[in-house]
Structures are given as C-alpha cells and as structure tokens.
Amino acid sequence: MMFEGAIQDLIDELGRLPGVGPKGAQRIAFYLLAAEPVDVERFAATLRRVKDEVRFCRICGNVTETDECRICRDPRRDPSVICVVEEPKDVLAVERTREFRGRYHVLGGAISPIDGVGPDDLRVRELMTRLADGTITELILATDPNLEGEATATYLSRLVKPMGLIVTRLASGLPVGGDLEYADEVTLGRAFSGRRQVD
Ligand SMILES: [Zn+2]
C-alpha cells in the first residue's frame, strides 16, 4: 500500500537510510507527522547543519567543524603514533577504550575490489604524506576484522615497510567478519594493548 504526496516521499527517503527497512521508515514517518512542529523543525535544521557545517579534518580525515579536528589540535596527544581506521565511527570506538593517546588517520573505507574501491579511493596518499617527515614511529593498523579490512592492512603494511617504522595490527580476539565499532570496549581495549608487529 502506498500513501500520497509528502508522507510517501518521507517514507521513501527514510527507507533509503542504512538500517531502516520499509516498516521502520513508515513508523518514523508517522512519528514525525504526530510530533510537535518545533521538534520536527529542530530535526530538519540539524539535518541541514550536518551538511553545511561538518567537514573532514585536513590532517586525519575525521569529522570536524573546524579545519582540524579536536584530536589533531590536542597537544597532549602523542604525535609519534598513528592509528589507521576505516571510518570516523571507528575513531570513537577506539577512543572509548581509553587505551590510545596517539593520533588517527581515517581512510574513508577499505580496499574492496568487488565494490570497485582501490587505494586511490581512500586517503592513502594523505597518509604517506604524513609519514614522510619522520615524526611518526609507529603505525597501528586498526582496520575492521573482515576480508576488506585485512586486505587494506596487508596493502598498507607492505606500502610503508620500506619507511622503517613499526607497523602493528590489533591482536586477535575481535569478532571476525564484523566492524570495529561492534567490539565492546574491553575486547577492543585488549586487542589494542596486545597489538603485535606485522612482519
Ligand atoms: Zn584530525
């Protein structure tokens, strides 16, 4: 069954969002229809602000509303260690463990030949630029524990090996095939402190 006009448009828009099925889209649409105008207005304004104000950190690729993100600006963070992750949400996952005091590099995805994603589609060149001046001594590859994440880690470790820095990979124990963000803090924290050198 289809509704008409704006309500159906809204259901269609919501249905395109990740993790929202047709039933969920309908539920959210009717929830918004019944909500107070002021609440819906705030929601709409937030959507617009996200596109207008949020951008990616010039240095690490994390989300930020300024040129450089909070972590890159923080002088207390160790500039000699970089943790490479796929997405900004992974930065949050690692931060929650409180095991890491270095900086990050967000790739913006993982190598996936099936989806047509290669190194040039990720922020690999930016990473190499950061490594060039010799400040960074350790690179922690914290890509997701799945096929694409492993392929990306292998690619990067081979790429940076000639630069002579320590390259580590998170210890096993993470749920295989999943996303970094799905690991609980304790498990991820343990994987972090038990990281092993890639040879
Ligand atoms: Zn940053």
Side-chain angles (χ1 to χ4, degrees), residues 57 60 69 72:
C57 171
C60 76
C69 77
C72 286

Side-chain angles (χ1 to χ4, degrees), residues 118-197:
D120 288 345
D121 303 305
L122 307 171
R123 299 184 68 256
V124 172
R125 204 174 308 116
E126 289 87 340
L127 176 64
M128 298 309 281
T129 308
R130 288 180 78 182
L131 298 179
D133 76 352
T135 311
I136 292 138
T137 55
E138 183 185 354
L139 200 64
I140 304 170
L141 301 172
T143 48
D144 286 346
N146 56 28
L147 220 61
E148 293 81 14
E150 290 297 338
T152 309
T154 305
Y155 172 83
L156 289 176
S157 64
R158 284 189 191 142
L159 190 67
V160 303
K161 206 173 181 182
M163 305 179 95
L165 36 86
I166 299 166
V167 180
T168 53
R169 183 88 177 107
L170 298 194
S172 49
L174 294 173
V176 174
D179 278 345
L180 206 64
E181 55 158 338
Y182 297 144
D184 65 275
E185 291 146 48
V186 178
T187 309
L188 186 55
R190 244 181 241 142
F192 227 90
S193 50
R195 65 185 183 269
R196 56 194 157 68
Q197 195 159 345

Side-chain angles (χ1 to χ4, degrees), residues 2 6 25 32 34 39 43 60 72 81 93 97 105 110-111 139 142 165:
M2 293 273 280
L32 290 169
D39 292 334
F43 181 55
C60 76
C72 286
V81 190
T97 70
H105 192 82
I111 294 172
L139 200 64
L165 36 86

Side-chain angles (χ1 to χ4, degrees), residues 1-43:
M1 132 146 207
M2 293 273 280
F3 295 94
E4 313 175 9
I7 190 76
Q8 186 60 47
D9 290 348
L10 180 57
I11 292 169
D12 293 343
E13 290 295 340
L14 292 167
R16 276 196 271 275
L17 301 177
V20 182
K23 278 193 179 155
Q26 235 177 59
R27 260 182 57 207
I28 299 167
F30 280 95
Y31 167 83
L32 290 169
L33 187 64
E36 291 296 327
V38 59
D39 292 334
V40 179
E41 200 44 61
R42 193 182 52 242
F43 181 55

